[in-house]
């Protein structure tokens, strides 16, 4: 079994120690960090998601997989973030109110930092006003919101409504992401852009910041 497959399987077993050791080894083998992420860690997490959906595993298994995911991500982080490059601008990010899924958002944050953006990470379960207030106070031009639950998706529209009511939509652009979202949903709620993964989020933010 190749090492990326082994990482994926260890994520599925929730074995954080193996994920740590295998990720370290993959880095030493000079496998590109993006490949370790996509074909190892994220692959494992996607399989966990499918099994959970079909009731083959339960919530504690998902929690263990998430912990194992961080054992790998923490090692990749310094490789994806380059220090000392001039700031491309500020981006406020977080999962919306009611949403505790932060792995994808953290990846987006890591990749944005790597591309030279100042990332203001609001953690998780972020109330709509907090996105707008922080962006205003910090002079951020972009608000990035994530939602992994169909029940939390509508909170994104609340943020956009606040921006509209305060006439801020020209100054502050919005990007949304997360597994249940789509380009069509972004259009429906008036978000400026939808990004399907972390690399696409970086490209989209670069384009938005130039507008
Ligand atoms: Co939950 N969960 N979960 N979960 N969980 C999902 C989302 C689910 C699809 C699983 C399933 O049924 N197949 C399902 C949602 C169903 C739905 O709404 N239709 C679900 C459920 C039901 C729940 C609970 C309600 C379960 C319960 O309590 N009964 C509960 C809700 C908690 C809450 O938020 N209030 C819950 C809890 C949890 C854990 C805490 C155990 C854990 C989260 C741990 C953590 O994040 N620290 C967890 C996990 C891990 C998952 C799955 C398995 C994996 C999510 C993940 O991290 N993926 C997930 C199944 C799935 O998504 N397939 C599931 C890896 C990550 C890299 O991908 O987050 O999609 P993702 O991010 C991607 C892109 O989407 C994009 O880029 C990222 C990198 O490529 N992206 C952005 C993400 N954010 C972006 C922002 C951007 C741009 C792009 O711009 C700002």
């Amino acid at each position: 079994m190749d090492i990326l497959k082994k990482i994926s399987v260890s994520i599925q077993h929730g074995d954080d120690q193996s994920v740590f050791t295998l990720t370290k080894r993959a880095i030493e083998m000079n496998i590109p960090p993006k490949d370790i992420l996509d074909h190892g860690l994220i692959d494992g997490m996607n399989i966990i998601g499918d099994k959970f959906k079909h009731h083959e595993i339960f919530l504690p298994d998902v929690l263990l997989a998430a912990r194992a995911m961080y054992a790998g991500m923490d090692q990749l982080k310094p490789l994806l973030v380059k220090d000392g490059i001039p700031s491309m601008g500020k981006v406020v990010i977080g999962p919306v109110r009611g949403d505790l899924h932060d792995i994808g958002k953290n990846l987006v944050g890591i990749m944005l930092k790597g591309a030279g953006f100042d990332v203001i990470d609001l953690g998780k379960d972020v109330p709509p006003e907090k996105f707008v207030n922080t962006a205003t106070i910090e002079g951020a031009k972009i608000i990035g919101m994530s939602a992994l639950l169909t029940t939390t998706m509508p909170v994104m529209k609340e943020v956009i409504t606040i921006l509209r009511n305060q006439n801020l939509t020209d100054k502050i652009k919005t990007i949304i992401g997360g597994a249940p979202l789509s380009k069509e949903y972004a259009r429906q709620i008036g978000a400026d852009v939808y990004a399907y993964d972390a690399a696409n989020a970086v490209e989209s933010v670069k384009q938005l910041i130039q507008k």
Side-chain angles (χ1 to χ4, degrees), residues 89-93 112 117-121 140 142-144 205 209:
K90 288 185 183 176
V91 185
V92 171
I93 58 167
L112 283 171
F117 290 94
D118 274 342
V119 176
I120 303 164
D121 186 339
I142 311 274
I143 289 178
V205 168
I209 217 131

Side-chain angles (χ1 to χ4, degrees), residues 150-200:
T150 44
T151 48
T152 57
M153 287 163 58
V155 179
M156 296 176 157
K157 187 160 183 203
E158 292 182 41
V159 175
I160 291 161
T161 303
I162 298 176
L163 288 171
R164 281 197 180 135
N165 290 344
Q166 298 187 13
N167 290 322
L168 287 171
T169 45
D170 282 344
K171 279 194 198 145
I172 302 175
K173 302 288 177 192
T174 48
I175 168 168
I176 63 169
L181 307 181
S182 63
K183 209 171 169 176
E184 172 56 22
Y185 188 71
R187 197 193 56 74
Q188 265 179 40
I189 64 168
D192 290 292
V193 73
Y194 157 74
Y196 52 84
D197 69 7
N200 183 232

Side-chain angles (χ1 to χ4, degrees):
M1 205 191 304
D2 90 346
I3 189 153
L4 299 185
K5 184 78 197 155
K6 281 186 187 161
I7 291 175
S8 168
V9 170
S10 300
I11 290 275
Q12 294 165 50
H13 292 164
D15 183 348
D16 58 339
Q17 302 221 342
S18 292
V19 172
F20 182 88
T21 311
L22 289 165
T23 304
K24 190 164 180 280
R25 202 180 302 155
I27 293 168
E28 285 161 4
M29 288 164 71
N30 288 325
I31 298 178
K34 181 86 173 47
D35 287 352
I36 304 175
L37 194 60
D38 287 346
H39 306 302
L41 300 171
I42 292 183
D43 183 76
M45 194 51 103
N46 284 341
I47 295 170
I48 281 287
D50 274 353
K51 288 187 175 166
F52 183 59
K53 187 172 162 187
H54 296 106
H55 311 290
E56 290 168 34
I57 57 167
F58 301 98
L59 203 55
D61 305 301
V62 184
L63 271 170
L64 287 176
R67 192 180 66 180
M69 179 96 185
Y70 276 116
M73 259 168 70
D74 287 348
Q75 292 184 79
L76 294 179
K77 194 172 168 179
L79 304 175
L80 296 166
V81 177
K82 296 179 218 103
D83 287 330
I85 38 180
S87 175
M88 302 263 295
K90 288 185 183 176
V91 185
V92 171
I93 58 167
V96 293
R97 186 184 59 217
D99 211 309
L100 304 176
H101 297 86
D102 64 357
I103 296 175
K105 173 272 297 180
N106 286 340
L107 267 179
V108 171
I110 289 170
M111 300 287 276
L112 283 171
K113 278 187 196 156
F117 290 94
D118 274 342
V119 176
I120 303 164
D121 186 339
L122 298 180
K124 45 193 167 189
D125 187 15
V126 182
E129 309 74 27
K130 192 164 178 187
F131 281 106
V132 179
N133 293 344
T134 309
T136 312
I137 292 163
E138 294 284 345
K141 288 187 182 156
I142 311 274
I143 289 178
M145 295 174 270
S146 66
L148 267 286
L149 299 170
T150 44
T151 48
T152 57
M153 287 163 58
V155 179
M156 296 176 157
K157 187 160 183 203
E158 292 182 41
V159 175
I160 291 161
T161 303
I162 298 176
L163 288 171
R164 281 197 180 135
N165 290 344
Q166 298 187 13
N167 290 322
L168 287 171
T169 45
D170 282 344
K171 279 194 198 145
I172 302 175
K173 302 288 177 192
T174 48
I175 168 168
I176 63 169
L181 307 181
S182 63
K183 209 171 169 176
E184 172 56 22
Y185 188 71
R187 197 193 56 74
Q188 265 179 40
I189 64 168
D192 290 292
V193 73
Y194 157 74
Y196 52 84
D197 69 7
N200 183 232
V202 172
E203 285 317 306
S204 306
V205 168
K206 279 182 185 166
Q207 284 168 17
L208 276 181
I209 217 131
Q210 280 162 9
K211 281 190 180 168

